[in-house]
Amino acid sequence: MRWKATVLTLFPEMYPGPLGLSLAGKALAEGAWELETIDIRDFAQDKHRSVDDTPAGGGPGMVMRADIGAAAIDAARKNAPAGTATIYLSPRGTPLTQAGVEMLAHGPGVILLCGRFEGIDQRVLDAREIEEVSIGDYVLSGGDLAAHVVMDACVRLLPGVVGNAGTHDEESFASGLLEYPHYTRPREFEGHIIPEVLLSGDHEKIAQWRREQAEALTRTRRPDLWEKWNRR
């Protein structure tokens, strides 16, 4: 069964976007994964295809309606494989991590609800038991770019998408540490030389150097990860 991503959006023309290029695009064309977009406006109930209304209690902006959102979610779930997670992309959601991405990639797929305006009526999130996920501590114009991030992170983990599966083993966050620096030819660039150990051919020393670099980078740049690493 192919891994399937279903995106509920007001802008279906944004897809596949960058996911139609490079390895993800090739895998999509070859049927290694499936992408379905559902236009939320198709579930509107008036001739203007309105999906939002003024916020209860007053305030700026508009809020996506619960009834329209629920109808779109129900339609998506009918065509999704059993066990598919439904996620609302939101800055107040649980932070997306590599561990979370791996769980999604190992499942049958994901339904991604992309909000706009001030967000979506809380009642649909509660009634449909939708998980909220954030890709970072900042605010975007809507959930579509976040949906691309989630899908890209998942698709690259699918079997056969990345040529060398061992590539994943040493990436940042895979081991709990940030990844070590990489170098390639030329040997010298503007006075900067590739570290000699990487040219030594001694694989044991190279592995040790890479581990030390990963630890040093993590300790300096992400003390939160370093602390978590030391508690293992």
Side-chain angles (χ1 to χ4, degrees), residues 43-62:
F43 301 89
Q45 302 166 2
D46 66 335
K47 64 179 182 180
H48 301 294
R49 305 182 79 209
S50 302
V51 298
D52 59 330
D53 210 329
T54 55
M62 303 290 280

Side-chain angles (χ1 to χ4, degrees), residues 169-192:
D169 298 336
E170 297 183 348
E171 291 177 330
S172 292
F173 312 115
S175 68
L177 298 172
L178 298 181
E179 194 171 5
Y180 52 80
H182 293 274
Y183 302 87
T184 187
R185 291 177 290 186
R187 181 169 183 167
E188 180 179 346
F189 169 70
E190 296 184 355
H192 299 274

Side-chain angles (χ1 to χ4, degrees), residues 181-184 186-189 191-210 212-213:
H182 293 274
Y183 302 87
T184 187
R187 181 169 183 167
E188 180 179 346
F189 169 70
H192 299 274
I193 301 175
I194 295 175
E196 283 297 324
V197 64
L198 299 179
L199 307 174
S200 68
D202 189 324
H203 297 295
E204 185 175 340
K205 288 184 178 180
I206 291 172
Q208 180 181 351
W209 181 88
R210 286 174 169 170
E212 291 171 351
Q213 291 294 309

Side-chain angles (χ1 to χ4, degrees), residues 104-222:
L104 290 175
H106 291 152
V110 64
I111 297 171
L112 299 169
L113 174 60
C114 300
R116 280 275 161 172
F117 317 117
E118 296 302 311
I120 191 165
D121 191 308
Q122 182 65 38
R123 291 172 295 177
V124 72
L125 302 178
D126 296 338
R128 296 300 183 270
E129 298 182 341
I130 295 175
E131 178 184 2
E132 296 186 55
V133 170
S134 169
I135 65 165
D137 294 342
Y138 45 87
V139 178
L140 300 172
S141 299
D144 292 284
L145 293 179
H148 279 88
V149 169
V150 173
M151 289 188 290
D152 181 82
C154 290
V155 167
R156 62 188 304 279
L157 296 181
L158 300 179
V161 174
V162 175
N164 183 358
T167 299
H168 301 311
D169 298 336
E170 297 183 348
E171 291 177 330
S172 292
F173 312 115
S175 68
L177 298 172
L178 298 181
E179 194 171 5
Y180 52 80
H182 293 274
Y183 302 87
T184 187
R185 291 177 290 186
R187 181 169 183 167
E188 180 179 346
F189 169 70
E190 296 184 355
H192 299 274
I193 301 175
I194 295 175
E196 283 297 324
V197 64
L198 299 179
L199 307 174
S200 68
D202 189 324
H203 297 295
E204 185 175 340
K205 288 184 178 180
I206 291 172
Q208 180 181 351
W209 181 88
R210 286 174 169 170
R211 176 60 175 269
E212 291 171 351
Q213 291 294 309
E215 291 180 351
L217 282 170
T218 306
R219 184 171 57 250
T220 302
R221 299 184 181 182
R222 290 293 302 274

